Amino acid sequence: MVIVDERPVKSEDPLQRLVQMSQELEPPRLTSRPQIQADYQGKKVRAVGNALHFRPAGETFHDFQINLLLWTLGEPWFDAEMAKPLEERHIILRWRNERNVLLKASRKPGSDPKQPVTARPTGDVKALQVLADDIYQLAHALKTPRRIVERLREARQYQGARYEVAVASIFARCGFAITFVDDSSKRNPEFVAEKGAEKIAVEAKSRHRDGVLHQRGHYDAEEEDRK
């Protein structure tokens, strides 16, 4: 569940209201971090962690999350991937392309291009949105570490990094602060989650499947069921 506070704010004091909202909407266990946002001088001001984003008033929250994901991955990576043919791009950008095609096809002829479009997401579009939401949840709990971002960018390492992000985002949704462990000199957990007196070391490993998420080979559903 995502808690959205759409109460009007005084235009002369949006920052104070955002701070107040973040304090009022402290997440309990097993819930998503709230959307902390306010309208100000024709912009949508969104707070994520300790950062403020001044965004177009008509930008949907889902669009903002995907933009946040792309900002996290970085402009150089984005430009390099977009220069490739579509079928050779990173899976994140292939999902994004599928989303753009879906939204364009779902827009009614003659409708205002600035208005949001409603469409039933495909599995790939949903996968992109869930990843973007996981990154959004983590951004409230920590500054996404360089090691994880680098692995998300790298096609062959994406699956393992994606799984770690998914597990860490669950703890972030529960209000834990997340610290990824970047020391590779010895065996360590992927991250440490802390909340009050609780401190949990978490190791997250995923099994790679042929033909899935940049892995070589062909995915065989029947073979997978026999394992």
Side-chain angles (χ1 to χ4, degrees), residues 15-114:
L15 301 186
Q16 182 178 346
R17 179 64 189 126
L18 289 172
V19 171
Q20 181 184 349
M21 287 172 63
S22 68
Q23 294 170 345
E24 290 175 351
L25 300 176
E26 282 296 321
R29 294 262 186 199
L30 299 179
T31 186
S32 291
R33 297 272 177 154
Q35 298 178 35
I36 304 173
Q37 59 191 33
D39 295 319
Y40 178 63
Q41 295 185 352
K43 295 284 187 179
K44 181 75 74 176
V45 185
R46 302 184 188 274
V48 183
N50 61 0
L52 288 179
H53 301 270
F54 290 78
R55 305 298 300 157
E59 180 185 60
T60 68
F61 182 63
H62 285 169
D63 285 339
F64 172 72
Q65 286 186 312
I66 292 174
N67 285 329
L68 181 66
L69 167 63
L70 296 179
W71 299 332
T72 300
L73 294 169
E75 187 175 355
W77 173 87
F78 177 84
D79 290 342
E81 289 293 325
M82 290 299 290
K84 300 176 183 178
L86 176 61
E87 64 275 10
E88 297 178 11
R89 292 175 194 167
H90 194 287
I91 196 168
I92 291 174
L93 295 183
R94 282 185 270 144
W95 289 342
R96 176 177 176 267
N97 179 77
E98 183 172 329
R99 181 179 187 269
N100 290 341
V101 171
L102 175 64
L103 294 180
K104 184 177 180 180
S106 301
R107 185 175 294 281
K108 296 180 180 179
S111 62
D112 185 349
K114 295 182 180 180

Side-chain angles (χ1 to χ4, degrees), residues 135-150:
I135 292 295
Y136 171 80
Q137 301 298 332
L138 281 180
H140 279 288
L142 80 163
K143 181 179 180 181
T144 308
R146 184 175 63 182
R147 183 178 69 90
I148 281 291
V149 174
E150 290 175 346

